[in-house]
Amino acid sequence: MASGPARRRETARTRAIAVGLALGLSLELAAAISAADESAPRPDAADAVERGHYVLYAAGCIACHTAEDENAKPLAGGRALKTDFGTFRPPNITPDSETGIGGWTEEQFAQALTRGLSPSGDPLYPAFPYTSYAGMRKEDVSDLFAYLRSIEPVHNEVPDHDLKFPYSIRSGLRVWQKLYFDPKPFMPDASKPDAWNRGAYLVNHESHCGECHTPRNFLGAMQEDKRLMGGKGAEGDKIPNITRGKGGISNWSKNALLEFLKTGFLPNGDVVGGSMYDVIMDSTSHLTDADREAIATYLMDLPAAD
């Protein structure tokens, strides 16, 4: 797909780049990220498909919905996400009519993102971050659907989730949603500047940072009193605290955070690894400078949490 999510550039070529970066070859990374940034679609583009392309990056769809196989088709699903609850396999979200979302209406798509319900009305597992997407603007959801409908259909039947008991009992999700899911639209804080509110929208909803950076209880619900204080990734890797509390980003400068979101470089000169590598390569490095600035503005303004 034209300049679309060429996801598996993270195979031999990009893995080699990452190793090179760890050895200090920062100029090559800067050039690669700069080129990606210049070609990134803009959120104020006139065309819904182009705006939706940008939302795709902001919403982090690529990493989860693309298998790790180097020959995998972007967004065709099948990546195995191993968690304490079992293995989740995100679905094919290309417009294939049999194995993807080709038969979905925009209303059904919006229902999945913001209400956690399948086209048939069945509750979805919260491994799909609808608990955050629930606050997405209707316009962004519509634009994302327009983009996904525009890409090449890929016929790829994704296996079912392989979950432990009792998490495998899907009917229990209705109780889970009543206990832990209260969908509400994003409400800007009138006392804060536009950049802060844009950052709040991205961090808490569209880019759903809290889904990984917040610890969860034994039923998989985010512990809101510890929001953004660190959690566990789908692959079992430790996800850090991104508040200004102990062990978080209290010693980071805003410029260091901006550099990290764009290139993956940590303040100590090392390069990020684990699941955050995917986030940088497939999401935040493609955002506009203004949106990365908004994310940094919001995070740097949050009260310290320990």
Side-chain angles (χ1 to χ4, degrees):
M1 70 193 69
S3 69
R7 160 69 179 154
R8 291 307 95 188
R9 62 182 182 277
E10 288 180 47
T11 56
R13 183 176 67 83
T14 48
R15 294 296 180 190
I17 289 175
V19 172
L21 292 173
L23 295 174
L25 301 180
S26 59
L27 291 178
E28 292 185 22
L29 177 66
I33 294 299
S34 177
D37 189 62
E38 288 174 3
S39 64
R42 295 297 183 252
D44 58 352
D47 180 71
V49 170
E50 188 176 355
R51 292 195 305 269
H53 185 189
Y54 186 85
V55 174
L56 180 86
Y57 285 124
C61 307
I62 301 170
C64 285
H65 288 278
T66 304
E68 292 189 288
D69 185 329
E70 64 180 34
N71 296 316
K73 297 292 186 180
L75 303 175
R79 180 170 185 169
L81 301 178
K82 297 179 181 179
T83 74
D84 291 341
F85 310 103
T87 300
F88 292 95
R89 296 184 177 87
N92 181 346
I93 56 172
T94 73
D96 181 69
S97 60
E98 295 181 359
T99 64
I101 61 171
W104 291 33
T105 66
E106 183 175 326
E107 182 179 0
Q108 289 171 332
F109 181 74
Q111 175 178 269
L113 258 70
T114 64
R115 293 295 180 268
L117 298 174
S118 72
S120 62
D122 294 322
L124 300 173
Y125 282 99
F128 175 56
Y130 59 81
T131 49
S132 294
Y133 288 159
M136 284 180 64
R137 297 165 59 243
K138 291 181 180 179
E139 295 88 346
D140 286 342
V141 174
S142 180
D143 290 342
L144 178 58
F145 184 69
Y147 176 75
L148 292 175
R149 293 284 292 182
S150 77
I151 65 177
E152 179 185 357
V154 177
H155 188 87
N156 183 43
E157 188 75 45
V158 175
D160 291 337
H161 304 313
D162 183 14
L163 304 180
K164 302 174 184 178
F165 181 83
Y167 310 112
S168 57
I169 304 175
R170 186 176 285 271
S171 59
L173 288 172
R174 295 192 183 279
V175 176
W176 189 96
Q177 289 187 342
K178 287 182 179 180
L179 289 173
Y180 298 115
F181 182 42
D182 184 16
K184 293 179 180 178
F186 171 67
M187 299 299 294
D189 184 338
S191 70
K192 299 290 186 179
D194 289 345
W196 188 98
N197 279 301
R198 175 64 175 171
Y201 173 74
L202 289 169
V203 169
N204 295 319
H205 300 293
E206 193 164 274
S207 299
H208 59 279
C209 306
E211 296 284 341
C212 286
H213 287 278
T214 301
R216 296 176 181 271
N217 66 18
F218 74 102
L219 288 176
M222 288 187 287
Q223 299 178 41
E224 291 297 336
D225 61 328
K226 297 180 180 179
R227 187 168 186 79
L228 303 178
M229 293 174 62
K232 182 187 291 187
E235 305 298 331
D237 50 331
K238 183 178 180 181
I239 307 297
N241 180 349
I242 55 171
T243 73
R244 292 187 296 107
K246 183 178 180 181
I249 59 172
S250 59
N251 294 325
W252 290 44
S253 68
K254 188 174 185 179
N255 284 339
L257 182 53
L258 290 171
E259 181 69 16
F260 175 73
L261 293 172
K262 185 172 184 177
T263 69
F265 270 106
L266 295 160
N268 64 4
D270 199 358
V271 66
V272 71
S275 57
M276 192 64 196
Y277 175 83
D278 292 337
V279 174
I280 298 294
M281 294 303 296
D282 290 330
S283 182
T284 61
S285 68
H286 294 273
L287 299 183
T288 61
D289 289 341
D291 271 353
R292 285 190 292 266
E293 174 83 18
I295 290 171
T297 295
Y298 176 73
L299 290 176
M300 288 294 186
D301 190 59
L302 292 178
D306 293 313

